[in-house]
Amino acid sequence: MAASPHDPAPEPPVYVIGAGPGGLAAAAALRARGIRAVVIEKSEGVGTSWRHHYDRLHLHTTRRLSALPGLPIPRSFGRWVARDQVVRYLEKYADHHQLDIVTGVEVTRIEVASHSGGEGEPAGWVLHATGGRELAARAVVVATGYNHTPHLPRWPGSETYSGNLVHAADYRNAKPYHGQDVLVVGTGNTGTEIAVDLAEGGAARVRLAVRTAPHIVRRSTAGWPAQRTGILVRHLPVPVVDRLGRLVARASVPDLSPHGLPRPETGLYSRVRQGAIPVQDVGLIDAIRQGRVQPVPAVDSFDGEEVVLTDGSRLSPHTVIAATGYRRALEGLVGHLGVLDAHGRPRTRGAHTSPSAPGLYFTGFTNPISGMLREMALDADRIARALARQGRRARAGVRATRAGRGPDPARLGRVDLPR
């Protein structure tokens, strides 16, 4: 039967940008609530960033606390899930939930749709994508990833450094560095784990450049994972968690000061609030104590074939691996909408949206001590619930209007529907 000219036009879908864990979780949660969601992924498959991580990577969060909504991670994957198993899980997840995923298309800019009547409120979103595509969206969930674009500091002299300088994003395993003198720069989880991997994989010498001494925690103590502690304490006052952290560290982590790695001066949770997640020990403590990984001062500059450290000493490693983090790279996509802070990070997350951009959601741009995958799963459900509530209010308003009891539907839609 043909549609009546009085029937409302089909509502645009919610577009989810990124087919990593955050994007897939959001799409599945939306679908479970009857909301059409389309995932747009610039690469050719799901979980692309996970496919490119180094070989030995395992989740630092437990299997049970890392599952996305609607599908447990198989018990056969073990407690600490390996990189390749994460990829398999994400593939299964997309298939299990029958998600609508479009690959090979990159969204380059998100704009408010053109105004039309009423009070001049925006009427949804327009996504500009490769191939000249313009996609109309009811709402948008940005899930392009915490580790999006590798960041390599502009050290003086690095452009003319004659040695091998690579970012940790290009590191896969220790095989290419067998017998080499390697300097790893950065003491986050990635840098410390790569240093251990190199030491175990046959590098002749491994040094770890330290700018700020990290907090080191045991991944699990007597069967109790550090992640569960992070969940329990994350809403406590910062000074309280800092004191608890110091007590736990002195009881469980040996003092590495004689080996060149002092205990941090700033409290654990104070550092977390500044964006520095504790390092989970997957062999670092033993490697430092045994001299297989040697902490050294931070990198100051490069000079020909030498690396100059902040204490004035000079090294001549074969390779420098910079585990210096990533950028979110959201400026081109949404920077013009006033939704990013001074560091280029979203000001809101989960079900919260900016007053200047209602209907524009972000997930996966924090790295909490309670576990990134766990928080993305929670965010997904919150976003889906928020959109479902708004949809119900909008439909109720339309029914009331048709019965002669409500306001103009166009005005109601622009107020209640996420845009």
Side-chain angles (χ1 to χ4, degrees), residues 78 138 290:
R138 166 192 172 187
Q290 295 165 9

Side-chain angles (χ1 to χ4, degrees), residues 160-351:
T160 57
Y161 175 56
S162 59
N164 185 28
L165 173 61
V166 299
H167 191 273
D170 297 316
Y171 180 88
R172 295 295 172 268
N173 54 60
K175 186 176 180 179
Y177 308 98
H178 190 275
Q180 286 194 15
D181 181 340
V182 184
L183 173 66
V184 180
V185 183
T187 52
N189 279 292
T190 296
T192 55
E193 192 160 354
I194 286 176
V196 172
D197 194 47
L198 288 163
E200 295 177 352
R205 186 174 190 178
V206 181
R207 284 174 284 203
L208 181 64
V210 181
R211 181 170 298 279
T212 304
H215 285 274
I216 303 175
V217 299
R218 301 288 189 180
R219 186 167 64 175
S220 178
T221 303
W224 180 265
Q227 181 188 8
R228 286 200 178 275
T229 302
I231 293 171
L232 291 175
V233 306
R234 63 174 307 197
H235 296 301
L236 293 177
V238 172
V240 172
V241 182
D242 283 348
R243 286 195 293 270
L244 290 173
R246 281 192 289 270
L247 292 173
V248 171
R250 293 188 181 280
S252 61
V253 178
D255 184 10
L256 299 176
S257 298
H259 305 279
L261 189 64
R263 292 189 186 276
E265 296 180 359
T266 308
L268 185 150
Y269 204 29
S270 293
R271 291 287 304 281
V272 169
R273 297 294 290 270
Q274 296 167 4
I277 296 299
V279 168
Q280 294 205 12
D281 177 44
V282 289
L284 178 68
I285 293 174
D286 287 343
I288 290 178
R289 296 177 77 181
Q290 295 165 9
R292 294 182 292 122
V293 172
Q294 177 189 355
V296 297
V299 171
D300 177 74
S301 60
F302 290 78
D303 184 11
E305 62 179 17
E306 294 183 320
V307 181
V308 183
L309 305 182
T310 53
D311 67 349
S313 60
R314 292 171 175 258
L315 309 177
S316 298
H318 296 103
T319 298
V320 177
I321 299 176
T324 46
Y326 295 78
R327 294 291 182 261
R328 312 296 87 83
L330 292 169
E331 288 79 3
L333 189 67
V334 297
H336 55 289
L337 298 173
V339 295
L340 304 179
D341 64 17
H343 301 285
R345 298 172 300 203
R347 297 180 186 275
T348 61
R349 56 162 287 192

Side-chain angles (χ1 to χ4, degrees), residues 62-135:
T62 66
R63 171 182 55 81
R64 294 185 62 184
L65 294 174
S66 301
L68 303 180
L71 185 68
I73 298 176
R75 290 177 59 89
S76 60
F77 285 5
R79 193 182 199 194
W80 311 107
V81 183
R83 179 203 64 184
D84 290 348
Q85 292 170 327
V86 172
V87 173
R88 286 170 54 195
Y89 171 69
L90 295 178
E91 291 173 339
K92 176 65 176 177
Y93 190 85
D95 182 63
H96 174 80
H97 288 291
Q98 299 180 326
L99 301 181
D100 188 356
I101 303 175
V102 178
T103 60
V105 175
E106 181 179 7
V107 177
T108 56
R109 187 175 175 89
I110 300 172
E111 292 184 337
V112 177
S114 59
H115 295 22
S116 57
E119 299 176 352
E121 295 285 345
W125 298 92
V126 174
L127 278 60
H128 297 270
T130 50
R133 298 174 178 86
E134 292 189 359
L135 310 172

